[in-house]
Amino acid sequence: NAGVMQNPRHLVRRRGQEARLRCSPMKGHSHVYWYRQLPEEGLKFMVYLQKENIIDESGMPKERFSAEFPKEGPSILRIQQVVRGDSAAYFCASSPPWQGGYEQYFGPGTRLTVT
Amino acid sequence: GIQVEQSPPDLILQEGANSTLRCNFSDSVNNLQWFHQNPWGQLINLFYIPSGTKQNGRLSATTVATERYSLLYISSSQTTDSGVYFCAVGSYNTDKLIFGTGTRLQVFP
């Protein structure tokens, strides 16, 4: 059973470009979470999605960031007009399709570097 | 929101030593997970333990939910145990995980 998959693993963007990060949840999982880890810090929640729905986006910056989880295909975290402060590791996690504190399984992360 | 504190922030051990890492949280939880982030940045699930005790090889964990803390025990530490250990909790009104600031462990031969 393949785990959570993220691609690309490393992404370099110049200031002002767009970054698209992809996450495929574990088989049978329909809940996806995105977390960001700034250098030398812990992970911070960004957004929680179910298929075609954003459930909680309380951790998302108000501008330039968006997320989706379409009916078919991976979840996408999109960052428009990237700035140096967006350089971080972005982790995706997935959990089974029911509520109530189930274990989250994490992918290997995408390391974004903005030059 | 819920607060998560981990101690100690840093730990230096010689190979073979035992250690205990602590995670305190400020409210009732329905999810508690321990992770190891290795020096390459990979995040590895260690335990899902909202209550009770679990063991996996040289690692074990105990969560006392009524007293709002969890402990991670590492016995006979090895250099490959080096990295940062995170505790993360989820509460009853949200499915997101709140991470502590981590314990950085260095094990020397």
Side-chain angles (χ1 to χ4, degrees):
Chain A
N1 187 10
V4 178
M5 298 174 67
Q6 292 187 248
N7 66 79
R9 296 288 302 277
H10 299 273
L11 183 62
V12 179
R13 284 287 178 265
R14 291 200 178 110
R15 278 178 296 171
Q17 291 185 319
E18 178 179 289
R20 282 186 179 235
L21 288 60
R22 294 174 187 78
C23 168
S24 296
M26 285 181 70
K27 188 175 180 181
H29 287 189
S30 60
H31 295 192
V32 165
Y33 312 80
W34 286 93
Y35 295 83
R36 177 166 69 172
Q37 185 177 31
L38 295 170
E40 302 300 319
E41 293 189 13
L43 280 76
K44 296 280 193 324
F45 167 80
M46 299 181 74
V47 62
Y48 163 35
L49 310 103
Q50 296 175 17
K51 286 283 187 182
E52 300 184 283
N53 282 305
I54 296 175
I55 307 302
D56 180 353
E57 56 182 347
S58 58
M60 286 279 270
K62 293 285 185 273
E63 297 177 350
R64 302 185 298 106
F65 285 72
S66 62
E68 62 176 7
F69 189 16
K71 188 175 179 182
E72 302 290 338
S75 176
I76 307 284
L77 179 68
R78 182 183 177 205
I79 310 172
Q80 295 179 287
Q81 299 174 335
V82 296
V83 301
R84 289 230 171 99
D86 297 333
S87 294
Y90 292 82
F91 289 92
C92 167
S94 73
S95 68
W98 38 82
Q99 303 291 342
Y102 286 87
E103 183 173 7
Q104 294 184 21
Y105 296 82
F106 280 72
T110 293
R111 275 140 191 91
L112 172 66
T113 302
V114 179
T115 60
Chain B
I2 196 165
Q3 305 294 317
V4 183
E5 293 182 356
Q6 290 187 243
S7 60
D10 295 280
L11 194 53
I12 300 174
L13 299 174
Q14 196 149 28
E15 243 181 347
N18 302 330
S19 59
T20 301
L21 283 60
R22 187 176 180 103
C23 173
N24 292 334
F25 42 95
S26 60
D27 205 346
S28 300
V29 299
N30 65 351
N31 186 353
L32 190 146
Q33 294 183 236
W34 281 98
F35 299 91
H36 174 213
Q37 188 166 41
N38 64 22
W40 296 271
Q42 197 176 8
L43 201 62
I44 299 160
N45 285 43
L46 295 178
F47 293 103
Y48 167 72
I49 188 166
S51 64
T53 297
K54 289 186 178 178
Q55 179 155 9
N56 184 3
R58 296 182 295 104
L59 273 59
S60 63
T62 295
T63 297
V64 184
T66 53
E67 296 187 21
R68 299 183 183 169
Y69 72 89
S70 182
L71 302 174
L72 177 69
Y73 305 96
I74 305 174
S75 64
S76 303
S77 55
Q78 300 176 358
T79 56
T80 52
D81 295 331
S82 296
V84 182
Y85 289 79
F86 289 107
C87 165
V89 305
S91 62
Y92 286 91
N93 60 357
T94 176
D95 282 323
K96 65 187 179 188
L97 288 177
I98 308 297
F99 280 75
T101 51
T103 292
R104 184 175 299 275
L105 173 65
Q106 296 179 71
V107 181
F108 291 97

